[in-house]
Amino acid sequence: MEKREELYAGKAKSVYTTDDPDLLVMHFRNDTSAFDGKKREQLDRKGAVNNQFNAFIMSKLREAGIPTHMERQLSVDESLVKRLQMIPVECVVRNIAAGSICRRLGIQEGTELSPPTYELFLKDDALGDPMINESHALSFAWATEAQLERMKELTFMANDVLRKLFLDGGMLLVDFKLEFGVFHGEVLLADEFSPDGCRLWDKETREKLDKDRFRQDLGNVVESYEQVGRRLGMTFSYQ
Ligand code: ADP
Ligand code: UDP
């Protein structure tokens, strides 16, 4: 599938139009950012690792009955996806407290959350991705009631599948963020699932294996992502 023109360059990925108006090429770059783009760096191999990691996870989610935008992996760092009308709402499930919930609610990192929490954030870097609720999403027409219900259902289905998958690799799925979009009226899982958008801890030592290594300057960022993939049985290619 030939790339035509760059449609959008985000903080970590670029999307390109193709000959087919329904399909986009998604290029995973080595750019890494945190704190709404305020901290940025280039990390060798990250684009390739996240593209292959995402393709692996999306196929597991599809097998579990979650409809996704993924068509197929094109190269080490590119995938072909359906072109969606994106819903500007990020869906976050937390199984264990970490990150912003600790700051917002004064919860100690590592506290088990049972049942898991479900939060919505507006995708808007300039505003710092503020937390919103379903009422905001409806009033400002970011999503319909039926879409919000489906997003929640699919996010919890993903949590069930992925918690088990990572636990089998000796890891705890602490939290994660998903984005959805609409394709010919249907809500599909979009964007990516990679260690950039979730928290994963070693089950025994609770060592952080996700983007917190970058946020907190812990080092070995991409090496940890590769280790996560290998623990799930993946092998990575770089060219
Ligand atoms: P950001 O916009 O947060 O900087 P990225 O660098 O990951 O994020 O850029 C990818 C962009 O592509 C995001 O804005 C995401 O919402 C959008 N996107 C993801 N999947 C699709 C899709 N299937 N169709 C259209 N846009 C998508
Ligand atoms: N997350 C993300 N993109 C965002 C915000 C959050 O991928 O723009 C992910 C983040 O990596 C974590 C989860 O969503 O796995 C919850 O993030 P949190 O609200 O704790 O924010 P943080 O403290 O990570 O900024």
Side-chain angles (χ1 to χ4, degrees):
M1 184 63 64
E2 284 293 302
K3 282 192 283 197
R4 278 203 169 168
E5 62 188 81
E6 189 175 75
L7 189 64
Y8 176 75
K11 296 185 294 298
K13 303 192 289 298
S14 300
V15 291
Y16 297 86
T17 58
T18 65
D19 303 340
D20 185 334
D22 272 346
L23 297 177
L24 295 175
V25 171
M26 186 168 263
H27 174 220
F28 288 69
R29 307 193 314 269
N30 287 340
D31 300 280
T32 310
S33 74
F35 312 121
D36 300 311
K38 288 184 209 77
K39 178 177 163 91
R40 286 171 189 260
E41 237 171 83
Q42 286 260 325
L43 298 175
D44 280 351
R45 307 192 305 286
K46 200 202 69 151
V49 168
N50 277 4
N51 179 48
Q52 291 166 64
F53 194 98
N54 176 59
F56 177 85
I57 296 289
M58 288 279 172
S59 78
K60 295 286 179 195
L61 294 176
R62 192 196 52 226
E63 282 166 21
I66 297 172
T68 85
H69 70 159
M70 191 72 172
E71 287 284 310
R72 63 178 189 274
Q73 195 183 312
L74 293 175
S75 68
V76 294
D77 59 1
E78 288 178 324
S79 289
L80 189 66
V81 299
K82 293 191 173 74
R83 182 177 184 167
L84 310 187
Q85 192 64 49
M86 293 301 290
I87 296 170
V89 172
E90 302 184 334
C91 304
V92 172
V93 162
R94 300 177 194 270
N95 299 304
I96 297 174
S100 72
I101 200 171
C102 297
R103 298 191 292 274
R104 258 184 290 123
L105 302 180
I107 310 291
Q108 195 180 355
E109 184 180 87
T111 306
E112 196 183 319
L113 303 172
S114 183
T117 62
Y118 179 67
E119 300 168 339
L120 302 178
F121 296 87
L122 177 65
K123 192 173 160 58
D124 187 324
D125 281 336
L127 295 178
D129 289 354
M131 193 173 180
I132 57 165
N133 61 30
E134 297 206 346
S135 164
H136 296 127
L138 294 174
S139 295
F140 297 108
W142 292 320
T144 66
E145 202 150 2
Q147 287 167 350
L148 290 167
E149 200 176 304
R150 185 68 171 148
M151 288 155 67
K152 184 173 180 178
E153 178 186 35
L154 295 175
T155 304
F156 275 106
M157 279 170 72
N159 191 42
D160 286 345
V161 175
L162 297 179
R163 259 180 116 162
K164 285 194 198 75
L165 184 84
F166 287 113
L167 199 57
D168 287 346
M171 293 167 282
L172 299 171
L173 178 58
V174 172
D175 59 32
F176 62 92
K177 179 267 299 180
L178 297 181
E179 291 182 28
F180 295 88
V182 181
F183 185 74
H184 300 304
E186 193 193 357
V187 173
L188 304 183
L189 176 59
D191 204 51
E192 69 175 288
F193 187 101
S194 76
D196 268 0
C198 69
R199 288 192 169 91
L200 293 162
W201 294 351
D202 179 89
K203 183 173 164 290
E204 304 305 329
T205 64
R206 298 213 158 195
E207 185 188 5
K208 294 174 177 170
L209 300 169
D210 54 76
K211 195 154 108 176
D212 273 348
R213 300 204 68 84
F214 174 70
R215 293 190 189 95
Q216 299 173 11
D217 295 315
L218 300 175
N220 293 327
V221 179
V222 178
E223 291 77 3
S224 295
Y225 292 17
E226 290 166 321
Q227 189 196 132
V228 171
R230 280 196 297 270
R231 287 199 197 186
L232 299 179
M234 295 180 61
T235 48
F236 294 99
S237 309
Y238 303 99
Q239 54 186 9

